[in-house]
Amino acid sequence: MKTKKIYLIRHGQTEYNLQGIVQGSGVDSDLNATGQRQAALFFDMYKSVKFDKIYTSKLKRSIQSVQRFIDAGIPVEHYSGLNEINWGSREGRKISEEDDAYYHELVKKWGEGEVDLPIEGGESPVMLQERQKPVLDKILSREDEKTVLICMHGRAMRAFLALMLNYHLKDMDKFEHTNLCLYELSYTGNMFTVDRYCDITHLKPMEEQ
């Protein structure tokens, strides 16, 4: 049986996250000091896990979040299929009241099932998931990789979790996320189960400061 353990994380905080600036797939920002601290704490808690492979998007904030594992010698592959959704014309700019209203209306329509509705100048959830599926298929086809670490992005993570767990895309917002949160999943060979949901236990030292 092709069993696997998947550790799926969202990237750490960037200055754009902090300032409320839309990133998406077209903005390649770095982690800020908080994001680097989050990444260090995640590494400290999970460095003993024997990861066979790391998969990330091609964006720096995703790669930097797992750089300590890469530096420890774990092989890594980067895929644009794991990049954040393309937020279109709003990428790289601070969220205005108008943008916020547009975003909430768009997410509402997605939640009502209009998942083929794209962002102005960007992608739809269906388009996002279509580029994710070949990457997931590749990961699942590699039977020798029993324990895998994947680092990606907020909206992309929601679509990816829906894909893995066979949820309709309209229900993807059931999957909460925050910077450097963890979903731990087990794959039995034909289905996924969630062992840990949006876990941030590793970030507790930051709350105590």
Side-chain angles (χ1 to χ4, degrees):
M1 188 178 286
K2 297 179 280 186
T3 59
K4 283 187 190 292
K5 180 71 77 172
I6 304 283
Y7 290 74
L8 175 63
I9 61 171
R10 185 188 173 205
H11 65 81
Q13 188 186 86
T14 70
E15 219 37 49
Y16 283 68
N17 290 144
L18 200 58
Q19 295 175 22
I21 296 171
V22 180
Q23 292 176 108
S25 62
V27 174
D28 197 10
S29 52
D30 293 289
L31 297 186
N32 63 12
T34 297
Q36 287 289 356
R37 175 73 172 137
Q38 291 167 336
L41 288 170
F42 181 79
F43 177 75
D44 287 345
M45 183 164 282
Y46 293 99
K47 61 188 175 186
S48 62
V49 176
K50 297 188 185 307
F51 293 113
D52 297 303
K53 181 68 71 63
I54 301 168
Y55 294 88
T56 79
S57 76
K58 289 200 169 182
L59 300 171
K60 289 186 293 185
R61 57 192 183 272
S62 168
I63 299 165
Q64 290 169 3
S65 296
V66 294
Q67 189 62 51
R68 290 166 180 80
F69 293 95
I70 298 168
D71 292 345
I74 299 168
V76 61
E77 294 180 18
H78 313 293
Y79 289 95
S80 58
L82 298 178
N83 282 7
E84 180 58 299
I85 196 168
N86 185 331
W87 287 111
S89 59
R90 287 162 172 79
E91 289 190 348
R93 75 185 201 198
K94 198 172 181 70
I95 300 168
S96 65
E97 283 188 27
E98 182 185 347
D99 289 340
D100 192 53
Y102 170 78
Y103 169 77
H104 282 94
E105 180 62 25
L106 184 68
V107 170
K108 180 173 175 285
K109 287 179 180 177
W110 289 347
E112 292 167 350
E114 295 183 55
V115 291
D116 57 350
L117 179 67
I119 301 146
E120 291 172 358
E123 290 179 300
S124 69
V126 168
M127 294 163 68
L128 169 62
Q129 206 173 66
E130 281 175 350
R131 62 173 165 84
Q132 292 177 338
K133 192 175 186 306
V135 184
L136 180 60
D137 288 346
K138 187 185 291 284
I139 292 168
L140 296 183
S141 73
R142 294 175 168 174
E143 297 182 33
D144 56 325
E145 296 175 7
K146 301 294 186 186
T147 307
V148 172
L149 176 60
I150 303 172
C151 186
M152 52 196 308
H153 309 262
R155 177 57 57 180
M157 176 186 273
R158 285 178 158 153
F160 201 64
L161 282 161
L163 179 63
M164 287 193 288
L165 294 162
N166 203 27
Y167 276 56
H168 193 286
L169 263 173
K170 70 182 177 66
D171 296 319
M172 63 181 160
D173 277 60
K174 294 182 188 297
F175 302 110
E176 297 176 6
H177 64 75
T178 187
N179 286 120
L180 228 304
C181 68
L182 166 69
Y183 280 82
E184 185 183 329
L185 304 102
S186 296
Y187 182 64
T188 64
N190 56 20
M191 66 176 289
F192 280 98
T193 56
V194 179
D195 303 318
R196 272 188 279 186
Y197 174 98
C198 197
D199 184 19
I200 53 170
T201 307
H202 50 281
L203 299 181
K204 281 196 172 173
M206 295 185 75
E207 298 172 9
E208 296 162 5
Q209 289 175 353

